[in-house]
């Protein structure tokens, strides 16, 4: 059985304000007071793992050194015909490689890269894909709990819709016809990989 999380302060091991806000809302009903790793000036460790769980644990352990329990998430897209890639490198595939010029992420380039690799395998390629989210909860004594959520679906081309972020315009969830960037965000949040992982965490630790 999972260790229970007592009400009180919890570090969100992320410097991404959007993620921190989302997690704060999700945990508010349980008496948890989230503080971000940024607010506590905690270092941002390098994500050197080869699985989502390894990366989530690296981030949560680094934040648990603060003396508070820490929660982190790591997520990405797994494409079956690409052997699960881009996986933990999902964000890296959007990294611009210009010799000179602006830094930043280019999601259209990343979606095009995935599509190009699928096209190389011919018109009958398996277009199955899944978004995966792993949550890691680590206590200051080193105790760990890990929860994995996923949403299965397939990739469509060309990209469709302007809502959401990242690879949403090419991902169509199982049983649906619209991409994640075309459906209402509330609907996406109800079926997403992150929602699935959070449901498992809430059921286990509260
Ligand atoms: P990280 O977990 O912050 O390292 O980000 C993983 C990457 O996966 C993000 O930068 C997004 O590109 C992608 N990703 C994760 N969740 C979603 C989602 O719900 N929609 C679209 N892309 C996502």
């Amino acid at each position: 059985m999972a260790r229970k999380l007592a009400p009180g302060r919890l570090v969100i091991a992320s410097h991404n304000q959007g993620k921190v806000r989302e997690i704060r809302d999700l945990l508010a009903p349980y008496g948890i007071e989230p503080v971000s790793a940024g607010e506590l000036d905690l270092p941002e460790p390098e994500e050197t793992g080869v699985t989502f769980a390894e990366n989530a644990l690296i981030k949560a352990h680094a934040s648990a050194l603060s003396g508070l329990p820490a929660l982190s998430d790591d997520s990405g897209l797994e494409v079956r015909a690409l052997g699960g890639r881009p996986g933990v490198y999902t964000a890296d595939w959007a990294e611009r490689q210009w010799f000179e010029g602006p830094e930043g992420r280019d999601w259209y380039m990343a979606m095009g890269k995935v599509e190009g690799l699928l096209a190389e395998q011919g018109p009958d390629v398996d277009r199955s894909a899944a978004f995966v989210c792993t949550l890691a909860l680590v206590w200051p004594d080193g105790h760990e709990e890990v929860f994995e959520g996923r949403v299965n679906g397939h990739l469509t081309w060309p990209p469709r819709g302007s809502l959401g972020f990242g690879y949403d315009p090419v991902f169509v969830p199982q049983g649906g016809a619209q991409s994640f960037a075309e459906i209402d965000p509330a609907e996406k949040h109800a079926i997403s990989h992150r929602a699935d992982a959070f449901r498992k965490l809430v059921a286990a630790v509260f």
Side-chain angles (χ1 to χ4, degrees):
M1 211 176 67
R3 184 187 282 188
K4 300 293 173 194
L5 184 62
R9 295 212 298 165
L10 171 80
V11 187
I12 310 299
S14 172
H15 290 251
N16 175 332
Q17 278 310 311
K19 243 186 217 181
V20 173
R21 211 172 308 117
E22 195 178 312
I23 296 175
R24 180 169 282 155
D25 291 347
L26 282 157
L27 296 180
Y30 304 97
I32 300 295
E33 301 159 37
V35 280
S36 75
E39 281 168 66
L40 296 182
D41 254 340
L42 296 170
E44 225 171 333
E46 224 184 305
E47 297 181 28
T48 52
V50 296
T51 63
F52 295 116
E54 280 174 17
N55 279 339
L57 283 165
I58 287 171
K59 291 184 267 190
H61 274 287
S63 284
L65 294 176
S66 65
L68 293 170
L71 176 68
S72 71
D73 98 330
D74 200 51
S75 58
L77 179 72
E78 288 185 348
V79 182
R80 190 181 294 166
L82 304 183
R85 287 187 298 157
V88 290
Y89 305 107
T90 297
D92 299 340
W93 281 27
E95 212 70 63
R96 289 205 194 122
Q97 305 281 324
W98 306 140
F99 182 64
E100 257 184 297
E103 288 297 314
R105 298 233 158 99
D106 183 340
W107 297 109
Y108 276 81
M109 178 188 75
M111 290 186 282
K113 182 168 173 178
V114 170
E115 185 59 26
L117 290 170
L118 286 180
E120 279 175 14
Q121 297 189 32
D124 296 326
V125 64
D126 178 357
R127 303 187 65 87
S128 308
F131 275 126
V132 178
C133 171
T134 300
L135 293 172
L137 187 55
V138 171
W139 278 258
D141 67 358
H143 182 83
E144 306 170 340
E145 299 285 349
V146 173
F147 305 94
E148 186 173 287
R150 63 190 291 123
V151 54
N152 293 318
H154 72 269
L155 297 178
T156 187
W157 193 260
R160 302 194 318 240
S162 54
L163 306 169
F165 69 100
Y167 295 68
D168 279 343
V170 289
F171 185 81
V172 178
Q174 210 164 49
Q178 293 179 303
S179 80
F180 259 4
E182 290 178 307
I183 64 175
D184 184 58
E187 203 182 320
K188 178 192 160 186
H189 291 148
I191 61 169
S192 79
H193 45 316
R194 210 161 283 110
D196 186 31
F198 262 98
R199 268 192 293 272
K200 288 174 182 162
L201 176 141
V202 164
V205 307
F206 292 122

